[in-house]
Amino acid sequence: MIEVKNLCKSYGDKKAVDNLSFKANDGEILGFLGPNGAGKSTLIKVLGGIYHAEEGEIYIDGKKTEIDGVVAARHAGISIVHQELVLVPYMTVAENIFLGREPGNKMNINRRQMSEEAQKLLDTYEMNIDADTLVERLTIAQQQMVEIVKAISLNAKILVMDEPTSSISDKEVGFLFETMRSLVKKGVGIIYISHKMDEIFRISDDITVYRDGEYIATDRAENLNV
């Protein structure tokens, strides 16, 4: 579980995030709704350790946590699935999942082990993807699945998804949502950031509304309407 209290981040005189507070529970999806320019990207960078907030506190499982860099965010169990995918297209799915963490050593990577471990992860989350397939042969939706598995392989407890449906079809959105539901059943907490109201209401347990850098409200999805 992650809880953010009174988070503030400014660029010069402009406050991009102003006293933002919210909580995302394990095994639930928090829909984070706001128009373009609302401050969603800044929040992502703060949670991911790219930016440091001037004010506010972040608690992971009830413990105050200092996120002062990307490594600190990873150690805290936070992983970001960015809107712009960062996979290497000419490498396999397995190579992308374990990039920089390959089993074996620099002189002798254990590719069989890497492939088997990647396939086990893909199968666990019911993704019909072959670990030895080149990423460039996958659809955008499948590449997003690989990004998610890569995040989970880092022992992520909190997955932040930034506008993940911006470049996929309605059918692929359904596939993505099925994967998200599989993740939450296994205890992962998801922060789903989007400006698409229909998708937020379709997938979320709780919804936080954010506008012009300011927190508006949080409530259970069933208590709100479009």
Side-chain angles (χ1 to χ4, degrees):
M1 185 266 285
I2 181 171
E3 185 172 8
V4 173
K5 295 183 177 181
N6 304 315
L7 200 71
C8 296
K9 172 63 182 175
S10 299
Y11 303 109
D13 295 331
K14 177 179 173 55
K15 276 199 171 182
V17 176
D18 187 10
N19 287 308
L20 174 61
S21 298
F22 66 87
K23 181 170 66 175
N25 295 313
D26 296 341
E28 289 191 351
I29 298 172
L30 173 67
F32 202 90
L33 178 64
N36 292 330
K40 303 189 300 294
S41 295
T42 298
L43 170 64
I44 292 166
K45 290 181 173 65
V46 170
L47 294 179
I50 298 170
Y51 291 164
H52 191 270
E54 292 93 13
E55 299 178 39
E57 298 173 335
I58 298 175
Y59 293 83
I60 306 292
D61 295 333
K63 182 180 178 180
K64 186 176 179 181
T65 304
E66 187 71 20
I67 300 178
D68 55 6
V70 174
V71 174
R74 184 177 299 171
H75 286 167
I78 301 172
S79 284
I80 313 293
V81 177
H82 294 280
Q83 182 175 355
E84 299 296 330
L85 301 177
V86 292
L87 299 173
V88 183
Y90 54 83
M91 297 176 71
T92 68
V93 169
E95 288 169 337
N96 271 276
I97 290 173
F98 289 102
L99 185 62
R101 305 177 294 121
E102 296 87 350
N105 55 60
K106 293 182 179 178
M107 300 298 294
N108 186 23
I109 296 173
N110 190 331
R111 297 189 178 280
R112 179 177 178 179
Q113 180 185 346
M114 182 168 62
S115 177
E116 288 176 350
E117 290 183 5
Q119 192 64 58
K120 184 177 179 180
L121 282 166
L122 292 163
D123 293 344
T124 295
Y125 295 101
E126 302 175 3
M127 300 180 189
N128 188 25
I129 299 174
D130 189 325
D132 295 322
T133 301
L134 292 176
V135 163
E136 64 185 1
R137 296 178 180 173
L138 302 178
T139 66
I140 296 298
Q142 288 175 319
Q143 290 181 39
Q144 286 181 326
M145 300 304 106
V146 174
E147 288 276 21
I148 290 170
V149 168
K150 183 175 182 178
I152 297 301
S153 75
L154 295 167
N155 297 316
K157 297 180 292 184
I158 301 138
L159 192 63
V160 184
M161 304 184 70
D162 178 23
E163 302 280 1
T165 65
S166 59
S167 57
I168 62 177
S169 68
D170 290 343
K171 182 178 179 179
E172 290 171 326
V173 169
F175 179 45
L176 173 65
F177 284 0
E178 287 178 10
T179 301
M180 291 169 61
R181 292 187 181 100
S182 176
L183 291 172
V184 299
K185 285 179 181 178
K186 292 176 172 61
V188 177
I190 297 177
I191 301 174
Y192 185 86
I193 298 176
S194 180
H195 66 279
K196 298 180 179 180
M197 294 181 67
D198 57 334
E199 291 181 2
I200 289 283
F201 277 89
R202 178 178 166 189
I203 194 64
S204 303
D205 297 295
D206 290 341
I207 297 175
T208 289
V209 181
Y210 199 58
R211 183 175 63 235
D212 298 330
E214 295 184 0
Y215 169 79
I216 305 301
T218 298
D219 205 341
R220 300 295 289 181
E222 62 263 26
N223 296 335
L224 301 172
N225 53 64
V226 178

